[in-house]
Amino acid sequence: ATSEAAPETTTQSLPEVKTSFEQKTFTVSVPEGWNTTPNREVEASDIMVFKGDMEKIMSIPCVIINVDVPEDGKSFEEGVKTMEEMSGAKPIDDITIDGKTYKGFELKENDMTGTIMAREENGKTIGITLANVQPTDPDVLAILQSLKVK
């Protein structure tokens, strides 16, 4: 018998996730219309999924997920501070999705605006960069809810 998780109580219905991607440190599923780069490596600890034409990557919705062990015994907080310094992102209020709280940062790079989100799970840092899309977008919520850390 398969055990199904209790249904999510959300005020908005999310799109069904169709395609699953298995990476070294996590699995993630995406709704129809979302793709990843063809040269994706299963052994990688990150993935870039996007909606639309790869040629227009700077202007289409894009979600980059990275799940990795912090380098050289750095704490999660140290890793987030380094990420903040490197990206020049400004801290924003924490973002809670599906009961999981992420540290949030606003990203502005050239014409692109976005959000960087980070949290810790199973000793790994989950870093998510959203470009040209909001964390509250139904497609993004469906992707983030499907994320399973190994």
Side-chain angles (χ1 to χ4, degrees):
T2 59
S3 65
E4 288 193 10
E8 289 293 330
T9 51
T10 53
T11 51
Q12 93 195 95
S13 66
L14 299 180
E16 191 183 331
V17 288
K18 301 274 188 199
T19 311
S20 290
F21 297 103
E22 182 89 21
Q23 296 298 102
K24 181 173 76 174
T25 53
F26 66 95
T27 59
V28 68
S29 301
V30 298
E32 203 163 323
W34 285 77
N35 299 301
T36 183
T37 53
N39 58 353
R40 175 180 83 80
E41 292 178 38
V42 178
E43 282 306 301
S45 56
D46 60 344
I47 193 170
M48 178 175 81
V49 291
F50 56 91
K51 187 175 187 177
D53 184 353
M54 181 70 185
E55 301 292 311
K56 301 184 179 115
I57 200 66
M58 294 309 282
S59 59
I60 58 173
C62 182
V63 178
I64 301 167
I65 302 167
N66 182 297
V67 178
D68 224 339
V69 177
E71 59 187 70
D72 303 332
K74 268 190 180 176
S75 71
F76 170 70
E77 286 74 19
E78 288 170 314
V80 167
K81 191 162 180 55
T82 303
M83 186 173 68
E84 188 181 342
E85 288 165 357
M86 283 172 55
S87 66
K90 290 190 205 93
I92 56 173
D93 290 342
D94 286 355
I95 301 163
T96 301
I97 293 171
D98 205 22
K100 297 175 175 124
T101 302
Y102 293 83
K103 296 265 176 231
F105 302 91
E106 182 184 47
L107 177 67
K108 278 190 194 305
E109 197 172 297
N110 304 327
D111 300 339
M112 193 176 67
T113 59
T115 308
I116 297 175
M117 301 164 36
R119 72 180 177 82
E120 197 174 21
E121 185 178 314
N122 297 346
K124 295 181 181 78
T125 298
I126 300 165
I128 296 169
T129 303
L130 305 176
N132 307 310
V133 70
Q134 294 300 313
T136 51
D137 180 289
D139 279 6
V140 173
L141 289 172
I143 292 168
L144 296 179
Q145 288 186 12
S146 77
L147 180 64
K148 303 280 182 269
V149 176
K150 294 180 181 176

